[in-house]
């Protein structure tokens, strides 16, 4: 055997072992990164030695060429379905039939009687699959079909990560058919739908449909990219018996590498089965996958044989169902709600229906694109889904039931609250040097704070804990303040008097004083908090922090041009436009001026951040202009050659050709020949200069910082400042702050409770500072603490 072959076999065995620990035992023994390394090593070795690739290699779960149809497969042992129980009495009746069927003494009103041993397992909501192993190797996978004939989906099942391509250990029957459910976890389903929405693909109504649609793909390469999982719940055709009990069978299968349910339990008698049903029912929402009930099976295989079958159902098993999460109802109307940023959102008014025990009469429809995607009309019969704690959703229209008088859903032209005009938002994209505008999914009322709905929401947001943190002002009180005309902008809060508040419902002397105190106490917000409190559309806490940290002053944030804003981490062109137009709006300017007039003093203002200054290089700037056919490389060449925007704009043809090939050179000249492009670029450059940026200082700024090029890690809890603040301070000195410790880490700041990161830092012999030493260090470097 060659060395390559040896290593390949070794790697496969190791990867199989890790797969087993990960998927079956749930006890991964190596980090994902290490697994990936082994996997890639195997892939590389196989690529170099294709003759050594075998179909059971873990690298072969990638799907094969698309099929034109599935071939049919006959199930030697039919794949049956289960009888259903909905009520406790159905379950007691089932137990009585089992007890009688086995000739065991029945109990009476006072109990007594024999107890039957049952296995209990969740009823996964996916689709039944049969896996055939010959001499321990997976040779065929099939769907249930009508129970007698299914479809051959071998290539598809091979892509499901936790289905063993080869059984572990020894002693398996030469022919072994494993049965179980292929399903999609809740998280996998959410991820898949999010991706499908992004790429404009079909979304799925629920995890079950997603699993079915993914597994029954003629192109198994698609299946390979879907987050499918398998859970084994029994056996079909076998050349030799395995164990005496159902649970014994499953445990043996687990030892051979089959994933089985973590919730598998043994119950003595029906009472314990009912306990199990209740327990799983309570934990249903918290389980990572959807279940529609639990399954009880007589545990003894001999008893199962004695009981046998009735029609297409075993007499020894039953499904005890949970309330359904999907129901049909009628869409009575669609109303429109106005949110904080003016977004006008369609809400479905439904004929009340009980879904999983809760009456549902409303469901959000998100936006008009969603209405269009569903093809929804008023009067339609729709499928409503309420998964766990999730808000009820309309997942599908039952087209066959559309009445003749069904009406289309129309976005109102005027805001239902204030009567202002409703406008469709626009999406701004930049390509080939131009901004192109397309229609967005969201409609907005242009009334801003003149719209009662927006004003109330804006104030609720403004006073919230993570914004201005004004305690004692709940939603009801805000509504009163607005409805009474006492407050028509956030700034008015600072003009409220004791007499005005004390008359409001729910307020007394003390609470009014407390509220006025809280309002007074909120007058010194940090810059990030203040920006967040303004409620700029699309600007959450993170973006607010980025704006504050990078630009350093309210004035700069207010003035920043969209082109300049896109320099900030995670700020795209659309958000940049939102921010810019928010501050351009005269009404918003007035609110900010009023707030300052009422004595608001914004803290933490100062210089432009060094890392922002350093991120604005001329090359990067020219690249951001998106000059057609000029990529980052070309932009850098222009910067190297000309050194300033003006020099690029006024360059003559010969000079330009020295920097770039003809096509690109032409493109640059054409670009700047357009007045509009030139103005935009000049304005942005001028603003960067006003902010204190100079191309000459490129890189030098960060390079000149004391911690430039260093990576620091924060771990444990800090008492004198939050981790975020510590991070900001380090970054202001030019350091990068990373989440994990490696040999490249320069220093670790460890507070109380530090764990594995600190251990690792000590193992690697890295420099470690406690909080006290860290504070001293910061002070030494001129950073206030
Ligand atoms: S046992 C003879 N166990 O429910 C027994 N089925 O109507 C056959 N299912 O199509 C099935 N979880 O796909 C069994 N733990 C479980 C199950 C389960 C889900 C599905 C199965 C079948 C249907 C039965």
């Amino acid at each position: 055997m060659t060395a390559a072959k040896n290593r390949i076999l070794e790697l496969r065995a190791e990867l199989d072992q890790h797969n087993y620990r990960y998927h079956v035992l749930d006890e991964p023994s190596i980090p994902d990164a290490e697994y990936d390394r082994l996997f890639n090593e195997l892939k590389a070795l196989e690529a170099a030695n294709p003759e050594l690739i075998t179909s059971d290699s873990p690298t072969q779960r990638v799907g094969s060429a698309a099929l034109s149809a599935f071939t049919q497969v006959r199930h030697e042992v039919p794949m049956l379905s289960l009888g259903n129980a909905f009520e406790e009495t159905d379950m007691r009746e089932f137990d009585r039939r089992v007890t009688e069927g086995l000739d065991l003494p029945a109990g009476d009103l006072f109990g007594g009687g024999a107890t039957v041993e049952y296995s209990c397992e969740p009823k996964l909501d996916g689709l039944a699959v049969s896996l055939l192993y010959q001499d321990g190797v997976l040779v065929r996978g099939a769907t249930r079909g009508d129970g007698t004939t299914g479809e051959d989906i071998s290539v598809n099942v091979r892509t499901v990560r936790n289905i063993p391509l080869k059984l572990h250990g020894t002693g398996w029957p030469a022919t072994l058919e494993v049965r179980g459910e292929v399903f999609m976890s809740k998280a996998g389903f959410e991820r898949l739908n999010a991706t499908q929405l992004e790429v404009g693909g079909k979304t799925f109504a629920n995890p079950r449909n997603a699993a079915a649609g993914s597994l029954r793909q003629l192109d198994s390469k698609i299946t390979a990219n879907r987050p499918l999982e398998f859970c084994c719940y029994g056996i079909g055709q076998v050349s030799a018996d395995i164990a005496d009990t159902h649970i014994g069978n499953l445990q043996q299968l687990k030892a051979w590498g089959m994933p089985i349910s973590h919730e598998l339990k043994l119950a003595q008698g029906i009472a314990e089965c009912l306990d199990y049903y209740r327990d799983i029912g309570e934990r249903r929402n918290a389980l990572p996958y959807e279940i529609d009930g639990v399954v009880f099976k007589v545990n003894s295989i001999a008893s199962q044989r004695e009981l046998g079958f009735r029609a297409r159902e075993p007499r020894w098993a039953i499904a005890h169902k949970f309330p359904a999460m999907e129901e049909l109802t009628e869409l009575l109307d669609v109303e429109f709600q106005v949110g904080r940023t003016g977004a006008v959102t369609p809400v479905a008014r439904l004929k009340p229906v009980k879904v999983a025990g809760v009456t549902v009469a409303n469901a959000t429809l998100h936006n008009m694109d969603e209405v269009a995607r569903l093809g929804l009309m008023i009067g339609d019969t729709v499928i409503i889904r309420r998964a766990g704690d999730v808000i009820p959703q309309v997942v599908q229209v039952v087209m066959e039931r559309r009445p003749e008088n069904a009406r289309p859903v129309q976005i109102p032209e005027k805001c239902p609250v204030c009567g202002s005009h409703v406008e469709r938002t626009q999406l701004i994209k930049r390509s080939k040097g131009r901004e192109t505008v397309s229609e967005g999914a969201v409609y907005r009322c242009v009334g801003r704070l003149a719209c009662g709905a927006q004003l109330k929401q804006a104030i609720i947001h403004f006073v919230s804990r993570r914004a201005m943190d004004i305690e004692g002002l709940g939603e009801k009180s805000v509504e009163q303040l607005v409805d009474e005309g006492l407050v028509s902008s956030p700034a008015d809060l600072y003009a409220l008097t004791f007499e005005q508040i004390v008359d409001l419902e729910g307020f007394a002397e003390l609470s009014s004083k407390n509220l006025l105190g809280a309002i007074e106490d909120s007058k010194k917000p940090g810059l990030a908090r203040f920006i967040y409190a303004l409620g700029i559309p699309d600007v959450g806490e993170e973006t607010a922090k980025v704006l504050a940290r990078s630009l350093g002053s309210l004035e700069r944030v207010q003035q920043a041009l969209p082109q300049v804003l896109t320099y900030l981490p995670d700020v795209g062109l659309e958000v940049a436009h939102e921010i810019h137009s928010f501050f351009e709006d005269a009404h918003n300017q007035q609110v900010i001026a009023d707030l300052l007039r009422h004595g608001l003093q914004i803290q933490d203002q100062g210089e432009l951040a060094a890392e922002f200054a350093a991120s604005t290089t001329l090359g990067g700037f020219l690249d951001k202009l998106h000059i057609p056919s000029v990529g980052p490389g070309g932009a850098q060449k222009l910067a190297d050659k000309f050194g300033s925007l003006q020099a690029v704009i006024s360059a003559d043809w010969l000079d330009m050709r020295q920097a770039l090939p003809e096509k690109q050179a032409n493109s640059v000249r054409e670009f700047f020949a357009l007045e509009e492009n030139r103005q935009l670029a000049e304005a942005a450059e001028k603003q960067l200069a006003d902010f204190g940026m100079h191309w000459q200082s490129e890189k030098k700024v960060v390079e000149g910082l004391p911690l430039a090029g260093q990576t620091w890690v924060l771990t444990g809890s800090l008492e004198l400042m939050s981790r975020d603040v510590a991070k900001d301070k380090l970054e202001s000195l030019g350091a990068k702050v990373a989440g994990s410790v490696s040999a490249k880490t320069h220093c670790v700041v460890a507070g109380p409770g530090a764990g594995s990161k600190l251990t690792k830092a000590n193992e690697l012999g890295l420099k470690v500072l406690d909080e006290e030493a860290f504070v001293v260090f910061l002070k030494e470097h001129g950073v206030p603490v």
Side-chain angles (χ1 to χ4, degrees):
M1 240 189 327
T2 64
K5 186 165 182 189
N6 267 331
R7 181 65 184 147
I8 286 179
L9 293 180
E10 211 173 272
L11 284 166
R12 282 183 194 156
E14 193 175 347
L15 286 165
D16 273 347
Q17 195 54 36
H18 291 312
N19 265 327
Y20 175 66
R21 294 190 63 101
Y22 184 90
H23 291 298
V24 181
L25 303 182
D26 241 1
E27 289 166 357
S29 49
I30 52 167
D32 291 359
E34 175 64 7
Y35 181 91
D36 293 345
R37 203 187 59 71
L38 296 171
F39 190 86
N40 288 334
E41 184 185 344
L42 176 60
K43 245 167 70 174
L45 274 176
E46 288 183 343
N49 304 277
E51 72 285 357
L52 297 179
I53 299 178
T54 54
S55 62
D56 61 5
S57 169
T59 58
Q60 299 304 297
R61 294 180 187 268
V62 288
S64 337
L67 303 174
S68 54
F70 294 117
T71 52
Q72 295 209 321
V73 164
R74 237 190 109 72
H75 299 299
E76 289 302 320
V77 177
M79 289 181 80
L80 304 170
S81 58
L82 291 169
N84 289 328
F86 294 95
E87 309 288 340
E88 189 176 316
T89 49
D90 302 335
M91 280 303 301
R92 293 196 183 277
E93 187 56 26
F94 164 75
D95 180 54
R96 194 191 52 75
R97 288 197 305 270
V98 167
T99 318
E100 269 178 24
L102 294 174
D103 275 337
L104 299 170
D108 53 25
L109 274 179
F110 306 101
T115 50
V116 178
E117 222 176 62
Y118 292 104
S119 95
C120 316
E121 46 201 275
K123 186 169 184 301
L124 290 165
D125 209 3
L127 65 163
V129 161
S130 141
L131 303 173
L132 188 61
Y133 288 84
Q134 292 290 7
D135 299 319
V137 176
L138 176 66
V139 294
R140 194 196 74 187
T143 61
R144 172 168 180 262
D146 64 6
T148 320
T149 316
E151 287 174 324
D152 187 327
I153 50 160
S154 303
V155 286
N156 306 63
V157 298
R158 301 178 63 84
T159 69
V160 178
R161 296 288 182 277
N162 72 344
I163 291 182
L165 301 176
K166 204 167 72 204
L167 297 178
H168 291 218
T170 52
W172 5 266
T175 297
L176 168 60
E177 185 195 351
V178 175
R179 289 178 177 177
E181 200 87 346
V182 166
F183 64 100
M184 203 176 276
S185 70
K186 294 173 185 171
F189 164 71
E190 299 293 343
R191 247 185 298 131
L192 173 61
N193 264 358
T195 324
Q196 292 292 96
L197 267 181
E198 247 169 58
V199 302
K202 172 183 179 307
T203 56
F204 297 94
N206 55 43
R208 206 207 83 82
N209 292 3
S214 300
L215 194 61
R216 295 193 63 262
Q217 275 284 342
L218 289 168
D219 183 354
S220 52
K221 294 213 165 59
I222 297 180
T223 313
N225 286 319
R226 300 281 172 85
L228 293 173
E229 290 169 55
F230 177 73
C231 177
C232 156
Y233 56 62
I235 52 176
Q237 184 196 2
V238 279
S239 53
D241 285 347
I242 300 176
D244 295 339
T245 60
H246 173 68
I247 291 189
N249 278 345
L250 292 186
Q251 264 151 3
Q252 179 58 66
L253 286 168
K254 177 174 175 184
W256 287 332
M258 276 300 151
I260 64 169
S261 173
H262 297 299
E263 303 289 347
L264 179 67
K265 290 237 161 68
L266 182 67
Q268 304 293 342
I270 185 69
E272 289 188 20
C273 289
L274 293 169
D275 289 344
Y276 180 85
Y277 175 81
R278 273 188 290 271
D279 171 54
I280 296 276
E282 278 166 20
R283 293 190 291 119
R284 184 184 187 189
N285 291 344
L287 292 176
Y289 40 78
E290 286 202 344
I291 57 175
D292 55 352
V294 294
V295 182
F296 299 113
K297 295 169 188 164
V298 171
N299 193 30
S300 150
I301 303 289
S303 301
Q304 287 186 3
R305 292 200 173 118
E306 210 177 317
L307 288 160
F309 302 88
R310 190 185 124 255
R312 306 201 51 75
E313 293 165 14
R315 284 205 183 87
W316 43 266
I318 194 158
H320 192 182
K321 302 287 281 276
F322 290 132
M325 294 197 295
E326 288 182 8
E327 293 292 347
L328 286 182
T329 190
E330 206 181 302
L331 178 66
L332 301 175
D333 200 0
V334 172
E335 286 173 14
F336 291 86
Q337 267 175 6
V338 186
R340 168 167 67 83
T341 59
V344 177
T345 312
V347 180
R349 300 283 176 234
L350 304 161
K351 187 166 161 194
V353 61
K354 250 197 165 158
V355 190
V358 173
T359 305
V360 175
N362 305 307
T364 171
L365 292 166
H366 304 289
N367 56 46
M368 291 304 284
D369 278 5
E370 174 79 355
V371 172
R373 203 176 61 79
L374 290 165
L376 196 62
M377 289 176 88
I378 296 163
D380 269 339
T381 295
V382 292
I383 300 178
I384 299 298
R385 178 179 150 80
R386 197 184 72 88
D389 306 326
V390 182
I391 326 163
Q393 283 188 306
V394 176
V395 292
Q396 205 178 306
V397 172
V398 185
M399 287 296 174
E400 303 80 58
R401 299 219 193 159
R402 172 164 289 168
E404 273 186 14
N405 60 354
R407 289 182 288 130
V409 179
Q410 263 164 345
I411 187 92
E413 282 174 15
K414 300 254 179 281
C415 170
V417 178
C418 72
S420 299
H421 193 63
V422 170
E423 268 179 6
R424 189 166 193 169
T425 51
Q426 299 185 319
L427 294 178
I428 305 159
K429 281 218 181 74
R430 186 130 205 187
S431 70
K432 306 213 165 143
R434 284 184 164 273
E435 283 178 12
T436 52
V437 176
S438 60
E439 301 203 302
V442 177
Y443 285 80
R444 242 190 234 163
C445 157
V446 301
R448 301 226 174 164
L449 296 187
C451 170
Q454 289 180 66
L455 176 62
K456 285 175 189 170
Q457 295 296 322
I459 291 181
I460 291 168
H461 172 77
F462 186 82
V463 303
S464 64
R465 202 170 54 80
R466 309 190 71 93
M468 300 298 278
D469 193 17
I470 299 178
E471 227 182 294
L473 206 50
E475 288 189 20
K476 283 261 149 9
S477 328
V478 170
E479 281 187 13
Q480 280 188 73
L481 289 173
V482 170
D483 292 339
E484 303 275 327
L486 294 171
V487 165
S488 55
S489 110
D492 292 345
L493 291 172
Y494 294 92
L496 285 175
T497 63
F498 178 82
E499 290 70 29
Q500 288 172 329
I501 302 174
V502 81
D503 283 344
L504 297 178
E505 220 181 286
F507 278 89
E509 199 156 315
L510 183 63
S511 50
S512 306
K513 275 195 191 136
N514 287 346
L515 175 57
L516 284 176
I519 293 176
E520 193 58 33
D521 287 349
S522 74
K523 281 187 170 172
K524 289 189 174 172
L527 179 57
R529 215 175 240 282
F530 181 73
I531 296 172
Y532 173 63
L534 290 175
I536 307 166
D538 291 340
V539 176
E541 264 184 298
E542 281 310 309
T543 309
K545 276 188 200 160
V546 166
L547 283 166
R549 194 173 67 211
S550 306
L551 297 179
S553 79
L554 178 62
E555 203 182 332
R556 277 193 284 268
V557 175
Q558 280 178 293
Q559 287 170 356
L561 293 169
Q563 290 71 21
V564 171
L565 289 167
T566 57
Y567 270 106
L568 310 185
D570 295 328
V571 175
L573 202 54
E574 253 160 62
V575 181
H577 274 279
E578 285 287 5
I579 297 169
H580 180 67
S581 64
F582 181 90
F583 289 110
E584 256 197 334
D585 180 84
H587 189 107
N588 292 335
Q589 286 173 4
Q590 188 61 52
V591 173
I592 294 169
D594 289 346
L595 284 165
L596 299 176
R597 194 166 47 79
H598 283 301
L600 235 71
Q601 288 169 10
I602 298 162
Q603 311 294 299
D604 313 332
Q605 300 200 81
E607 292 304 301
L608 195 71
E611 80 257 36
F612 173 63
S615 67
T616 53
T617 62
L618 179 58
F621 179 75
L622 293 169
D623 181 37
K624 273 186 179 294
L625 298 175
H626 295 275
I627 305 170
S629 66
V630 179
Q636 194 51 53
K637 280 188 198 141
L638 283 175
D640 293 345
K641 165 93 184 147
F642 296 105
S644 79
L645 175 66
Q646 268 320 314
V648 176
I649 293 179
S650 52
D652 66 24
W653 173 245
L654 272 183
D655 281 347
M656 190 64 87
R657 279 290 284 115
Q658 278 179 0
L660 295 175
E662 186 170 341
K663 186 172 168 227
Q664 295 184 19
N666 258 326
S667 175
V668 174
R669 287 168 66 89
E670 278 166 26
F671 181 85
F672 287 117
L674 270 180
E675 177 70 23
E676 181 196 336
N677 287 339
R678 209 166 55 228
Q679 274 179 3
L680 214 70
E682 284 172 352
E685 193 202 32
K686 174 165 183 307
Q687 178 159 78
L688 288 169
D690 290 347
F691 284 3
M693 282 299 315
H694 301 284
W695 303 133
Q696 295 79 348
S697 62
E698 279 182 15
K699 293 248 157 85
K700 286 197 204 99
V701 189
V702 156
E703 278 163 17
L705 289 172
L707 304 187
Q710 297 197 5
T711 306
W712 285 53
V713 172
L714 299 164
T715 179
S717 57
L718 298 180
E719 276 151 20
L720 299 174
M721 64 188 99
S722 70
R723 291 251 284 264
D724 278 348
V725 170
K727 184 169 178 249
D728 284 347
K729 295 195 188 295
L730 283 168
E731 284 172 351
S732 74
L733 292 172
K736 266 206 195 125
V737 178
S740 62
V741 173
S742 78
K744 294 200 180 117
T745 309
H746 285 84
C747 183
V748 175
V749 178
S756 61
K757 288 182 197 170
L758 177 60
T759 317
K760 187 157 180 204
N762 287 330
E763 276 168 18
L764 291 168
L766 302 177
K767 185 168 147 192
V768 177
L769 298 181
D770 61 15
E771 189 169 13
E772 206 178 317
F774 178 53
V775 169
V776 172
F777 175 89
L778 289 175
K779 285 186 178 152
E780 278 172 6
H781 286 80
V783 179
V785 180

